Amino acid sequence: MVLGGSFLTRLGRRFGVVAHEGLPLLEEGGALIYAIGDIHGCARELDSLHEQIAADAAHRMGARHRPVTLVYVGDYVDRGPDSAGVIERLLGPAPIGGAERIYLRGNHEDAMLAFLEDAEAGAEWLDYGGLETLKSYGVNPGGGALWRQKLSEGLAAKLPAPHRQFLTSLRDRWSYGGYGFVHAGIRPGLAWDAQKTDDLLWIREPFLSSRTRFDRKIVHGHTITEMPDVRPNRIGIDTGAFHSGILTALVIDGAMEAFLQTIPAPLS
């Protein structure tokens, strides 16, 4: 599903804003950027979105090669049914040959690593999606004394080394042109380089309600909205794939911003 100018116009009417004001934030005819929202264990939706991205990039490039970057804004694990499959796909071949891929860390990856480090200190991870991730790696939730410690040890034993290396090597931010990409948002009033990792992974307010013109336009996930949340200073692309079936990618092509989305599977 491709959502282009008319969709952005409707968003603008709803919020009283437009997607772009002033000069384009990327050079016309330069790199194509695809920013992918929170995946949360939805491997099927990721496959579908990757196919759409490949087709969209081929259409935009035509016979002329252009650099392509895929930016994943974090929260690859938890809640959905196949966190292990999502990471396996992210470690596999890119949907577009030669594309650069940027992997950002989400608060759910942060929590998963905390649980692996200390099962009791990181126990909250089990309450917001960690059990689904454990199941995807074949770890039985079980019970009894020291059950959290057993779960942590079981996950450590079954987590493939490349998956653990992937989780520990994620970035907390990335910028290109006039855009900044993070998982959750930024702290208004602080410069890009002064932002703290905890805010980049966890913040909601005062970021979401801020009308501050940041030093770059922020693309983020973390906060679920029914459709992409387009504001003058930020674009939210978490459309709750684990319950809606809609995984969203923002397409940035020079002065144009558009969206690709998966179509929810029909109810059986």
Side-chain angles (χ1 to χ4, degrees):
M1 178 186 297
V2 181
L3 303 174
S6 62
F7 176 72
L8 292 175
T9 299
R10 292 198 301 275
L11 284 176
R13 288 173 181 163
R14 178 177 176 182
F15 295 119
V17 303
V18 293
H20 264 267
E21 293 182 357
L23 296 175
L25 303 181
L26 290 186
E27 180 183 352
E28 292 287 352
L32 279 172
I33 306 291
Y34 294 89
I36 294 92
D38 302 35
I39 303 168
H40 275 308
C42 296
R44 185 190 70 84
E45 287 78 5
L46 179 60
D47 288 341
S48 176
L49 191 62
H50 275 168
E51 290 175 3
Q52 291 188 53
I53 288 171
D56 184 78
H59 173 73
R60 292 180 186 279
M61 288 190 289
R64 184 169 64 88
H65 174 75
R66 294 169 61 186
V68 178
T69 300
L70 278 64
V71 188
Y72 301 85
V73 301
D75 278 7
Y76 314 113
V77 301
D78 301 347
R79 294 180 172 164
D82 195 6
S83 294
V86 166
I87 295 180
E88 192 64 26
R89 284 159 172 79
L90 295 177
L91 289 170
I96 302 166
E100 178 184 23
R101 288 186 286 183
I102 305 294
Y103 302 108
L104 302 181
R105 180 159 51 125
N107 60 304
H108 282 258
E109 287 76 52
D110 196 46
M112 181 178 176
L113 288 171
F115 183 76
L116 282 164
E117 182 70 23
D118 186 330
E120 293 304 317
E124 288 186 357
W125 176 62
L126 299 175
D127 296 329
Y128 54 89
L131 291 176
E132 287 84 353
T133 296
L134 289 167
K135 290 176 185 177
S136 79
Y137 282 102
V139 179
N140 189 336
L146 301 176
W147 70 280
R148 291 192 187 93
Q149 184 62 37
K150 291 176 182 176
L151 288 178
S152 179
E153 292 172 355
L155 179 59
K158 294 200 173 184
L159 188 67
H163 287 213
R164 186 155 193 164
Q165 183 178 7
F166 172 82
L167 292 167
T168 57
S169 64
L170 300 171
R171 307 186 191 193
D172 65 3
R173 73 196 83 184
W174 184 71
S175 66
Y176 187 87
Y179 291 90
F181 301 83
V182 297
H183 174 63
I186 64 172
R187 177 72 55 179
L190 287 181
W192 176 254
D193 291 338
Q195 295 290 329
K196 294 178 170 52
T197 297
D198 277 355
D199 283 333
L200 299 177
L201 271 58
W202 293 89
I203 198 169
R204 285 197 169 94
E205 294 296 350
F207 167 69
L208 294 174
S209 60
S210 176
R211 297 185 178 181
T212 300
R213 289 285 183 165
F214 309 126
D215 57 2
R216 39 183 57 77
K217 192 169 188 177
I218 302 300
V219 178
H220 66 95
H222 187 57
T223 299
I224 296 173
T225 51
E226 184 178 352
M227 58 183 177
D229 190 2
V230 180
R231 309 292 175 110
N233 58 355
R234 66 176 180 85
I235 303 176
I237 55 172
D238 181 2
T239 46
F242 68 94
H243 67 76
S244 69
I246 301 172
L247 181 61
T248 295
L250 167 66
V251 187
I252 307 173
D253 185 3
M256 191 214 69
E257 293 166 350
F259 297 92
L260 303 172
Q261 292 188 313
T262 58
I263 299 173
L267 295 175
S268 56

